[in-house]
Amino acid sequence: MAQVPQTFLDGLAVRTWCGLALRALGRARAEIDAINVYPVADGDTGTNLYLTVESAATAVEAVFAGYETQPGYATRPTGPTLADAVRAMAHGALIGARGNSGTILAQLLRGMAQVLAADGAEPRCDGPALRLALRRAADSARQAVAHPVEGTVLTVASAAADAAERTAGDCGTVARAAHQGARAALAATPSQLGVLARAGVVDAGGSGLVAVLGALVEACTGETVDTEPDRAAATPNALPDPDLDPEPETEAGPAPDAGACAAEDGGPAFEVIYLLEADDTAVARLRTRLDALGDSLVVVGGDGLWNVHVHVDDAGAAVEAGVEAGRPYRIRITHFGLGDVHTGGPRPPRERAQRAVVAVVPGQGLAELYTEAGATTVLARPGEPPASGELLAAVRRAHAREVVLLPNDAELRDTAAAAAEQARTEGVRVALIPTRSAVQGIAALAVSEPGRRFDEDVVQMTSAAGATRYGEVVVAEHRSWTTAGICQAGDVLGLIDGDVAVIGADVTATAETVLDRMLQAGGELVTLVIGDEAPETVAAHLETRVRESYLAVDTAVYRGGHQGALLLIGVE
């Protein structure tokens, strides 16, 4: 008899899982949004889960891209290990987590990574390892929620782990059992949470988790599975009569929290989310303080980086608590909008502006510069590219009929295009100018005139950006092939229009060589954006170089802050 091949999870399978999960959530996003009634009926759970997995998938793709640029990859292809891939997946989900369910999903993935990337872990995950990973995921997610409630994504995750623990076999067998257990638990959620029964729906977050586990089965086995709730496995007689049965009992304590709290009547007005750099002791104090301020408290992460989510009436106090605990950033504050269950009535609509510019910027200094010029900004921190949902949120925040979108990074073009496409479906006229550097964005902003017709303004901005050559000076992170030869970790690289043109040892000398090459084709204005890590003297040196060697060329210098590159250069 032929032996059935054993299935396992390795780095490539994790990459496949992320891609399949993203596609599954993309297909199910609208349906999941539509059944989102708990803890807040704000119709965004499917979108939040999609954006969280998108961030995880992007991080995994970045790890694979890094391997593919290493010397010898073409002849001896070796990809990321399982540990590399699951760490990237968990980190990407953490920094990109959105909403209650997205934040809990990030902790589920982190829990799995703690097992699969632990010291001494096998290079490939087998069935027993996956069982342990699913149990750690469920337990750590439950611990991250201030006041867990049954009938939510936490229940579905625990049921998946329980089913996996009862199953012997390889990765595919265990994943299939976990998925089936999750489907059965999802179908039973209305019997555990009255608000679901009254609405006639299952839990939205749990529905998203079933889709993610279905993608895991497909990544391990190649089989597509049913992601609908397994209603046959539920107990129909347990469903409460919304007119007769009381609300199910929950754990004692403050208003419960499924990753959140019930907020059917008069709940907090704001959702506050931020990333936080802080130690464990400070985070423990933060949990206590935020729990007293509001509900829906979920704090996930570890090793100095956390994602904090809470619903409050005093958004400022929630942010101040984060400042006291450490360094909060990527702060997002959302009012539970027009006539939702929290606010008790609609707010008068704010008048739309005619036109706005939305730009991705790599540092706080540039963010301030762009803001002064009238743009709405999205901050892209080193190694943390924004997801399409963040760009879409910025377009909505700009609140304009016409929006010019500046991604300022060649690798963000597809992300920006997805955000633009979604914004168009919401009635916003969006033009995407494919700027590849923040200095091209500066040139585009400089010629923008809101009084012009939209098409004419876009043409002028596009022309100005296209006429701006861009360069940057960075430090190589590892040995790699480049268009200028092989570089070693720690070498100073000078890039022109995205390609490595100079490999040097000194930042100022490399920057001068790059500038000279860029000015060989002429130019009237040099823009220098200095990063925090650049030598103090580099700006003055380059200004002197331009003044003494290139007549009639002006120089503008800006401070970019912590922007990744030591120096950005624009020549127009």
Side-chain angles (χ1 to χ4, degrees):
M1 179 182 294
Q3 196 169 20
V4 178
Q6 296 291 297
T7 58
F8 56 85
L9 202 63
D10 59 6
L12 184 58
V14 170
R15 183 189 201 183
T16 302
W17 178 25
C18 287
L20 291 170
L22 189 62
R23 286 195 286 276
L25 288 171
R27 291 191 299 268
R29 174 164 54 177
E31 181 180 346
I32 296 173
D33 282 346
I35 64 172
N36 174 200
V37 298
Y38 181 86
V40 180
D42 51 355
D44 63 357
T45 292
T47 298
N48 287 338
L49 288 168
Y50 177 87
L51 295 175
T52 302
V53 173
E54 181 185 48
S55 183
T58 298
V60 173
E61 289 300 321
V63 170
F64 273 83
Y67 271 80
E68 289 164 5
T69 62
Q70 291 184 358
Y73 180 83
T75 55
R76 293 180 294 99
T78 56
T81 64
L82 172 63
D84 292 333
V86 295
R87 284 195 197 102
M89 175 181 66
H91 180 73
L94 176 67
I95 64 175
R98 302 293 288 266
N100 276 337
S101 295
T103 307
I104 291 172
L105 178 60
Q107 189 66 11
L108 288 167
L109 297 179
R110 177 178 172 80
M112 292 187 70
Q114 287 174 330
V115 172
L116 302 181
D119 292 341
E122 294 294 326
R124 300 194 305 185
C125 168
D126 57 12
L130 183 58
R131 289 199 298 270
L132 289 174
L134 290 168
R135 172 50 62 195
R136 176 70 66 84
D139 291 348
S140 64
R142 191 169 286 267
Q143 291 163 7
V145 173
H147 305 289
V149 159
E150 299 308 328
T152 66
V153 63
L154 298 176
T155 305
V156 175
S158 293
D162 291 344
E165 287 181 334
R166 293 192 297 267
T167 304
D170 61 11
C171 236
T173 304
V174 172
R176 193 180 296 108
H179 174 255
Q180 291 170 350
R183 285 182 63 217
L186 177 63
T189 54
S191 70
Q192 299 169 297
L193 205 52
V195 64
L196 302 179
R198 288 193 291 275
V201 298
V202 294
D203 180 65
S207 183
L209 179 58
V210 168
V212 171
L213 290 172
L216 177 60
V217 175
E218 188 173 352
C220 289
T221 67
E223 303 170 6
T224 57
V225 293
D226 189 355
T227 57
E228 290 296 312
D230 186 0
R231 301 188 188 278
T235 307
N237 292 335
L239 293 177
D241 183 327
D243 296 320
L244 300 176
D245 288 5
E247 190 77 11
E249 293 184 1
T250 61
E251 294 182 29
D257 190 336
C261 295
E264 298 174 67
D265 297 296
F270 295 97
E271 178 185 60
V272 178
I273 305 175
Y274 48 80
L275 293 179
L276 177 71
E277 293 178 356
D279 60 35
D280 291 4
T281 302
V283 169
R285 291 195 299 268
L286 176 66
R287 288 179 193 268
T288 301
R289 181 168 179 191
L290 291 180
D291 195 24
L293 284 175
D295 61 35
S296 300
L297 175 60
V298 188
V299 181
V300 303
D303 301 321
L305 180 62
W306 308 83
N307 191 307
V308 178
H309 172 282
V310 67
H311 293 176
V312 291
D313 281 320
D314 189 345
V319 175
E320 288 172 8
V323 172
E324 291 176 6
R327 187 176 77 87
Y329 61 99
R330 282 200 181 184
I331 300 167
R332 294 192 296 271
I333 300 174
T334 304
H335 195 291
F336 285 118
L338 300 174
D340 87 3
V341 292
H342 279 335
T343 59
R347 295 173 295 158
R350 179 164 60 98
E351 181 66 25
R352 282 186 179 272
Q354 181 59 34
R355 187 174 306 163
V357 175
V358 173
V360 181
V361 291
Q364 189 59 48
L366 277 175
E368 293 171 1
L369 174 66
Y370 272 71
T371 300
E372 289 173 4
T376 298
T377 61
V378 178
L379 190 60
R381 295 181 181 275
E384 299 178 6
S388 63
E390 292 178 73
L391 302 190
L392 178 60
V395 171
R396 291 169 175 160
R397 195 165 68 246
H399 202 61
R401 297 181 181 89
E402 302 167 339
V403 172
V404 178
L405 186 54
L406 306 175
N408 290 339
D409 186 334
E411 294 185 0
L412 287 178
R413 182 169 181 173
D414 289 343
T415 300
E421 187 62 30
Q422 179 61 34
R424 292 184 189 112
T425 68
E426 299 176 6
V428 182
R429 189 179 184 189
V430 182
L432 170 59
I433 299 178
T435 48
R436 294 174 289 176
S437 171
V439 292
Q440 289 188 324
I442 292 173
L445 265 179
V447 301
S448 177
E449 291 185 12
R452 274 196 297 241
R453 290 179 55 249
F454 185 62
D455 291 341
E456 292 176 357
D457 205 31
V458 171
V459 168
Q460 292 299 318
M461 294 175 72
T462 302
S463 177
T468 302
R469 301 190 71 196
Y470 65 97
E472 59 182 301
V473 177
V474 300
V475 176
E477 295 182 356
H478 50 72
R479 185 172 184 267
S480 180
W481 288 98
T482 76
T483 50
I486 298 177
C487 72
Q488 306 296 329
D491 283 348
V492 180
L493 307 181
L495 290 80
I496 299 176
D497 294 336
D499 293 323
V500 177
V502 183
I503 300 175
D506 179 76
V507 172
T508 302
T510 302
E512 180 178 319
T513 302
V514 169
L515 181 59
D516 286 341
R517 292 192 186 182
M518 293 177 71
L519 284 169
Q520 284 176 359
E524 299 175 355
L525 174 66
V526 171
T527 300
L528 303 175
V529 183
I530 313 299
D532 282 348
E533 292 78 19
E536 288 291 331
T537 58
V538 67
H541 180 88
L542 295 178
E543 283 186 282
T544 301
R545 176 68 177 172
V546 172
R547 186 172 58 250
E548 294 179 350
S549 302
Y550 301 95
L551 299 178
V553 177
D554 294 325
T555 305
V557 180
Y558 305 103
R559 292 288 168 179
H562 185 55
Q563 62 184 20
L566 300 174
L567 174 68
L568 301 177
I569 304 173
V571 174
E572 51 184 299

